[in-house]
Amino acid sequence: MAPADPVRVLILTAPVGDGHVAAARTLAADIHKRDPVACVTVFDALEAFNVPLRWLLRDAYRWQLARAPWLFGIVFAGLQRSRLLRWMSRTLVSLLGSSAIRRVVSKHEPDVIVSTFPATTSILGCLRLRGLVDVPVCATITDFAGVEMWADRGVDLHLVMHKSLVPPVERVAGASSARVVLPLVGATFLAPQPAAAARRALGLPLEGRVVAVSGGGWGVGDFSGAVRAALELPDVSVLCLAGRNEKTRAQCERAFGADPRVRVLGFTDQMSDILAAADVLVHSTGGVTCLEALARGCPIVAYGAPAGHAPTLARAMASLGLLVDARSPAELDAALLADRDGPGVSLAHEDAAADLVLALRPRVAPRVRARMARPLALATAGLLVMLGVLSSDLTYPLVAEAFVLRETTTIPAAGGGVPIIVSGDRATLLAFAPFAQRHHLHGSVLPRDRLSRSDVSKLRAAGLEPIPGITTGGVRSSLSVRGRLIEQVHVYRVGKRFYFIAPTDGFTIADYLVGRHLGGVALQSNARLGSLRGKTVAPGAVVTAELRLGRAAALELVRSWSSLASSVGVVTPVPSPPPAA
């Protein structure tokens, strides 16, 4: 009797963080252990995708975590709560990536396909339901929250890490669509290792406490706060794990490199030893690092998570008793000081993922639907239109008119005065401050670059009040507006309600909504100081001026300012806006 052909397993993953790839490699190694003749291929799906989809799934996500975590928080919350948004995103990803995945599947001709990345899970689920993939599909879910975005009704089996995740997966994908498995971590994390041996291997003191601080493969989160809190402990050694984030690693080296109690590491293959040696892991993003700690029995404290799925993941794991969720520095201090007797919580031993993959049988019946192109195209068009409306300055005037959005060029001014705003770079404004103080000029200034608290104090002492403002720059500028406004509000110490200067061109609905959410009222120029030339100026009309470098330019501005004051009575800084209606 001829021997059966070896089973062919295709594992699709993506290096979006390191967790998805780590799970894929672990699963591939376990399959080889159980079936040495199996043909297992681990494939990076991003390499097959076109540039727009690759940018959307990896680069845009990385940028959001680093620059605009609040934006990813909004996206994640919307996807978690809205079936419509999940359907739209699934449709868009499938539209952009189905052809690439079909080519990969056709090339490798697998007997079973495994996905460790949510986007490829969605694409495979769509293809499976349409009858375009005729082999069983399995998906791993290594998170403890947001499983609605990991599960798909077109997937035959989902491998989850905790029994509490089975019901939400089955609500999405149907009965018998989820099984609990051993954590998808390397074999070294499951093998017993005494803490003393691990500390010797790492060159750490055998006595005292060891705290590991991690931000996952991308090194995100409040590293400085976590390390400082750990250093408050007596007789402590701190391992600061910055992953592949060289910027974070350099910042930690500058901040803590001189302290002999702190060791700063980049991406490391010694995580098994580190978690065996550590008394506690302070982690920001959850995911596979937490699975490794749970397998090792290392207690976990979640702290410093960026906005998005990480805080939700921490709350979910805390509700299961798998970690302590510290949401403030005080809670982190308390968690680190807490006494823990014995090993930390670990995940219960269930089925092995490799065994279930090798024994996988089809569960999903294809549901071929005719003319899928039309609803896909409509969904994509709807998404593009929504993004265009939010990020385009062309649509703002229409929407502002229809909904009577407040955007003003005239504001109530005490005593019928005229508020003035002088714009310029930091150095020029600071050089102008003595002129303003000498001539008793009081107004607002709009810095083009960042000010320090000391700069703000110098300007205020001279009678110049800094005012927040945003600039034009299209979609990219809109994405950074929130962070820029928050920074200015913090440094300038404005109240809960404040005016901010909006550009006359390029102001978008997204800019307006972000400013309003923070308590800001958009304010635009009514007139330029240099163009008045004896014209009548109504009380409260906002006048702007551009300050150029040099003594002559400063003196010219002083003369124009004084002339305006003599014609209108008083020139003032921009006041605080009235309370919201």
Side-chain angles (χ1 to χ4, degrees):
M1 188 175 188
D5 292 333
V7 63
R8 297 185 300 275
V9 181
L10 174 63
I11 303 177
L12 296 178
T13 188
V16 181
D18 286 304
H20 306 297
V21 176
R25 290 173 178 165
T26 297
L27 182 57
D30 289 347
I31 291 173
H32 275 303
K33 286 180 182 177
R34 284 160 173 76
D35 186 353
V37 299
C39 179
V40 183
T41 302
V42 176
F43 187 85
D44 178 2
L46 292 185
E47 294 300 319
F49 290 150
N50 54 33
V51 172
L53 184 56
R54 190 160 59 242
W55 176 87
L56 180 67
L57 296 176
R58 180 186 60 195
D59 302 324
Y61 174 59
R62 186 198 295 266
W63 180 88
Q64 287 178 77
L65 288 183
R67 301 288 184 179
W70 63 271
L71 178 60
F72 181 66
I74 293 173
V75 173
F76 180 84
L79 290 172
Q80 190 176 24
R81 297 172 185 173
S82 171
R83 289 184 180 180
L84 176 61
L85 287 179
R86 289 199 298 272
W87 176 82
M88 292 176 67
S89 65
R90 178 179 182 267
T91 301
L92 177 62
V93 169
S94 181
L95 180 67
L96 295 175
S98 289
S99 296
I101 294 300
R102 287 183 67 187
R103 287 194 296 269
V104 173
V105 172
S106 177
K107 176 182 177 181
H108 292 278
E109 297 182 339
D111 298 305
V112 61
I113 305 173
V114 182
S115 170
T116 70
F117 182 52
T120 53
T121 299
S122 293
I123 296 171
L124 287 166
C126 289
L127 293 174
R128 188 93 173 89
L129 289 172
R130 294 168 60 195
L132 299 176
V133 167
D134 57 4
V135 298
V137 172
C138 179
T140 66
I141 300 180
T142 52
D143 269 8
F144 289 78
V147 296
E148 301 88 353
M149 287 166 275
W150 287 69
D152 194 281
R153 65 184 183 275
V155 169
D156 296 277
L157 183 64
H158 299 81
L159 307 179
V160 300
M161 307 294 113
H162 196 274
K163 62 182 180 181
S164 67
L165 303 180
V166 172
V169 170
E170 292 190 340
R171 282 196 292 271
V172 174
S176 303
S177 60
R179 292 279 295 273
V180 184
V181 296
L182 279 166
L184 282 169
V185 298
T188 56
F189 293 94
L190 300 171
Q193 183 179 18
R199 292 189 179 192
R200 288 191 192 95
L202 294 168
L204 294 170
L206 297 182
E207 302 297 328
R209 301 195 70 185
V210 174
V211 178
V213 177
S214 170
W218 281 358
V220 298
D222 184 9
F223 274 86
S224 296
V227 173
R228 288 192 179 95
L231 290 175
E232 294 296 321
L233 299 173
D235 195 17
V236 69
S237 299
V238 182
L239 298 174
C240 185
L241 311 173
R244 302 183 191 277
N245 192 329
E246 289 301 321
K247 181 179 178 181
T248 297
R249 181 177 182 178
Q251 289 172 343
C252 292
E253 288 280 8
R254 287 194 298 270
F256 307 107
D259 193 324
R261 297 172 296 171
V262 180
R263 185 185 303 179
V264 180
L265 302 173
F267 188 81
T268 176
D269 58 1
Q270 295 181 293
M271 281 302 298
S272 179
D273 288 337
I274 289 170
L275 294 175
D279 294 285
V280 63
L281 167 70
V282 181
H283 193 57
S284 64
T285 64
V288 171
T289 303
C290 283
L291 290 181
E292 293 169 345
L294 289 168
R296 265 275 169 248
C298 177
I300 307 169
V301 177
Y303 173 76
H309 72 292
T312 305
L313 176 58
R315 289 192 293 270
M317 296 182 71
S319 70
L320 298 173
L322 300 177
L323 54 73
V324 176
D325 184 14
R327 305 185 191 182
S328 68
E331 291 183 2
L332 174 61
D333 291 340
L336 291 177
L337 289 170
D339 291 328
R340 294 183 177 86
D341 296 325
V345 177
S346 61
L347 294 175
H349 287 193
E350 300 285 349
D351 295 323
D355 291 337
L356 295 179
V357 170
L358 290 170
L360 187 61
R361 295 294 179 266
R363 178 188 65 89
V364 173
R367 289 179 280 174
V368 180
R369 296 181 180 179
R371 299 181 180 177
M372 287 294 292
R374 182 178 178 85
L376 291 175
L378 287 175
T380 305
L383 272 175
L384 293 175
V385 168
M386 181 177 67
L387 290 173
V389 167
L390 287 174
S391 61
S392 172
D393 60 297
L394 298 178
T395 56
Y396 179 82
L398 298 176
V399 177
E401 182 69 19
F403 293 94
V404 197
L405 302 182
R406 183 172 184 180
E407 173 193 352
T408 182
T409 58
T410 304
I411 57 178
V418 171
I420 189 169
I421 303 167
V422 178
S423 62
D425 58 50
R426 169 185 173 275
T428 306
L429 291 175
L430 289 174
F432 176 70
F435 289 87
Q437 189 170 25
R438 193 156 47 246
H439 293 85
H440 307 288
L441 306 179
H442 301 285
S444 295
V445 290
L446 177 63
R448 292 202 205 95
D449 44 12
R450 286 178 168 82
L451 296 180
S452 67
R453 287 274 180 86
S454 175
D455 296 335
V456 172
S457 298
K458 291 176 183 177
L459 292 171
R460 282 197 174 129
L464 303 176
E465 187 69 31
I467 184 171
I470 62 175
T471 58
T472 59
V475 176
R476 184 177 180 182
S477 175
S478 292
L479 296 178
S480 64
V481 161
R482 185 176 186 276
R484 181 72 178 122
L485 278 179
I486 288 177
E487 178 186 351
Q488 293 177 81
V489 167
H490 177 69
V491 174
Y492 301 173
R493 297 180 180 177
V494 300
K496 292 183 179 179
R497 292 269 295 167
F498 60 94
Y499 284 114
F500 69 95
I501 305 305
T504 53
D505 296 311
F507 190 49
T508 71
I509 297 170
D511 297 339
Y512 171 85
L513 292 174
V514 168
R516 182 179 175 85
H517 175 71
L518 296 175
V521 177
L523 185 63
Q524 292 183 316
S525 172
N526 182 283
R528 302 284 296 181
L529 181 61
S531 64
L532 293 177
R533 296 179 183 176
K535 295 179 182 178
T536 302
V537 182
V542 179
V543 176
T544 58
E546 181 74 19
L547 179 60
R548 298 183 302 277
L549 187 64
R551 180 181 176 84
L555 291 173
E556 177 60 30
L557 178 58
V558 168
R559 285 193 291 269
S560 300
W561 192 321
S562 301
S563 176
L564 176 64
S566 64
S567 64
V568 301
V570 61
V571 177
T572 70
V574 175
S576 298

